[in-house]
Amino acid sequence: MKKSTKRLLTLTAAAVAGIYAYNRFVDSNATRKNLLKIDDGHYYKWKEGNIFYTKQGKGTPLLLVHDTDSRSSGEEWSKLNKKLAKSHTVYTIDLLGCGRSDKPSIQYTNYMYVQIITAFIKDVIKDTPDVAATNLSAAPVLMASALNKDLFNKIILINPVSLQQLKQVPDKTSKFKQDIINLPIIGTFIYNKLMTPLKIDFVFRKKYISRSQLISTKVEDTYYESAHTGHSKGKYLYSCILSNFININISHAIQKLDKPVYIIASTEIKNNLDVINNYHTLNSNFDVIHIANAKLYPQLEIPEKTASIINKILVK
């Protein structure tokens, strides 16, 4: 073997070993605070994996669905649970691929989440709940309601994702990105570099919260932990989002809905009014409630106000 070839192989092996060591470090460091508690929760056994959920309170059932994001979990609702549980039986779930739920190496799609939400209601709640969903999770909730008109009572959407984004479909470039992220060692390394505490903090300041002084270090740490719980296998969901496999055109579903639908829309998000107007144009029965001093997650930024709005909607 030539010296140059031998040296190249040695350097490659050293690089792979270094990357592997970094991945192991992230794996242990991200979860060392153990912020995603499971003591007060349960697991629902679905065909593709176990789904973590919590249940608290008494009254009519209310299902809370967090944003479809590998950093997210049911903790997105942690500041609202007790407030809403005073008059409702509140269920929160960690969607498959997120938080404390299993994170299998599968193709994550909108319809898969439709199936999960539908099965969870039928097998666990066993009643017709109201539902609140955030951003990208608005799509499977609306699709589930369109496919089964008796699945929900009232539907509350918090800053639903733009219809234009949902129309973006996978292509060769996006499929290539997915294949790279799904690689065993290199892909995990890339995912881990995209999900560092610094970058999660940047997302909070840029997208999630409008006032930086309200950003909680504990909440950021929870999102960091969620991204890496399960040996960073949240990358499989992330790659599906990155490659647009999670998207679906829901325009027809919106048009056919005859359920009460309420949209809580943050005025601090750029172009959000246009996004919400597109929903309202397709179905004029959608009720829009504008909320100030918040970005994507008002339930984390102004929980008292958000809980008050949700409670008022539910008693109408």
Side-chain angles (χ1 to χ4, degrees):
M1 182 184 296
K2 292 181 179 180
K3 286 185 178 180
S4 59
T5 303
K6 187 176 181 179
R7 185 182 180 188
L8 178 62
L9 290 175
T10 301
L11 290 173
T12 301
V16 171
I19 290 171
Y20 178 76
Y22 175 79
N23 289 342
R24 289 291 301 272
F25 168 76
V26 171
D27 193 29
S28 60
N29 183 63
T31 58
R32 63 184 173 82
K33 293 183 179 180
N34 193 28
L35 296 171
L36 290 171
K37 305 292 186 183
I38 61 172
D39 301 342
D40 59 347
H42 315 272
Y43 280 95
Y44 165 57
K45 293 184 178 180
W46 193 61
K47 60 183 179 180
E48 294 288 358
N50 294 325
I51 296 170
F52 180 84
Y53 73 95
T54 63
K55 176 185 177 182
Q56 58 183 299
K58 290 184 179 180
T60 56
L62 170 63
L63 174 62
L64 302 177
V65 186
H66 65 79
D67 193 3
T68 308
D69 188 309
S70 61
R71 293 164 289 211
S72 296
S73 69
E75 292 300 305
E76 178 185 302
W77 304 98
S78 61
K79 295 184 178 183
L80 267 68
N81 282 347
K82 291 182 180 179
K83 297 177 178 64
L84 298 173
K86 291 178 181 178
S87 51
H88 304 282
T89 304
V90 178
Y91 296 84
T92 64
I93 61 173
D94 286 6
L95 294 173
L96 200 71
C98 303
R100 292 148 289 199
S101 293
D102 287 348
K103 302 177 179 182
S105 173
I106 59 175
Q107 193 78 287
Y108 292 82
T109 65
N110 182 280
Y111 185 61
M112 184 199 76
Y113 286 121
V114 169
Q115 290 179 297
I116 288 173
I117 292 168
T118 303
F120 183 81
I121 291 171
K122 291 183 176 180
D123 296 340
V124 178
I125 298 179
K126 298 178 181 178
D127 199 351
T128 306
D130 298 303
V131 62
T134 306
N135 196 239
L136 192 53
S137 290
V141 164
L142 291 175
M143 285 296 294
S145 184
L147 292 171
N148 185 345
K149 65 178 183 178
D150 298 320
L151 192 64
F152 304 117
N153 284 318
K154 295 175 181 177
I155 298 172
I156 301 170
L157 308 177
I158 298 178
N159 296 315
V161 66
S162 77
L163 299 177
Q164 286 72 23
Q165 180 178 329
L166 290 172
K167 291 176 182 178
Q168 295 176 15
V169 297
D171 55 24
K172 289 183 179 179
T173 301
S174 62
K175 184 62 171 66
F176 175 73
K177 292 177 182 178
Q178 181 184 38
D179 291 341
I180 293 297
I181 296 294
N182 287 350
L183 288 172
I185 297 177
I186 300 298
T188 303
F189 174 75
I190 294 171
Y191 174 78
N192 286 339
K193 295 298 286 184
L194 292 170
M195 297 292 168
T196 63
L198 189 62
K199 291 190 176 178
I200 287 176
D201 179 66
F202 176 80
V203 173
F204 263 85
R205 293 172 186 275
K206 186 76 173 178
K207 185 178 179 182
Y208 293 170
I209 305 293
S210 67
R211 291 166 291 173
S212 59
Q213 68 270 24
L214 296 180
I215 296 175
S216 162
T217 300
K218 183 179 179 180
V219 171
E220 286 190 324
D221 288 345
T222 302
Y223 272 65
Y224 178 56
E225 184 174 317
S226 179
H228 298 288
T229 296
H231 308 291
S232 296
K233 289 181 180 178
K235 71 174 189 175
Y236 297 117
L237 169 58
Y238 176 80
S239 72
C240 289
I241 296 170
L242 185 68
S243 57
N244 297 324
F245 276 98
I246 203 78
N247 292 343
I248 188 171
N249 189 340
I250 62 171
S251 297
H252 180 67
I254 292 172
Q255 289 174 321
K256 68 180 288 188
L257 277 176
D258 58 1
K259 288 281 179 186
V261 178
Y262 302 84
I263 297 178
I264 299 175
S266 296
T267 57
E268 303 296 328
I269 301 175
K270 186 178 179 181
N271 300 325
N272 200 33
L273 297 183
D274 292 334
V275 170
I276 305 308
N277 283 337
N278 288 334
Y279 278 81
H280 195 262
T281 298
L282 290 174
N283 193 324
S284 59
N285 291 321
F286 280 25
D287 233 340
V288 180
I289 301 103
H290 297 293
I291 191 167
N293 300 317
K295 280 192 176 180
L296 191 64
Y297 298 149
Q299 60 268 51
L300 287 176
E301 188 167 7
I302 45 174
E304 295 282 353
K305 178 67 174 178
T306 307
S308 175
I309 291 173
I310 292 175
N311 275 321
K312 286 178 181 178
I313 290 171
L314 296 180
V315 299
K316 284 185 178 180

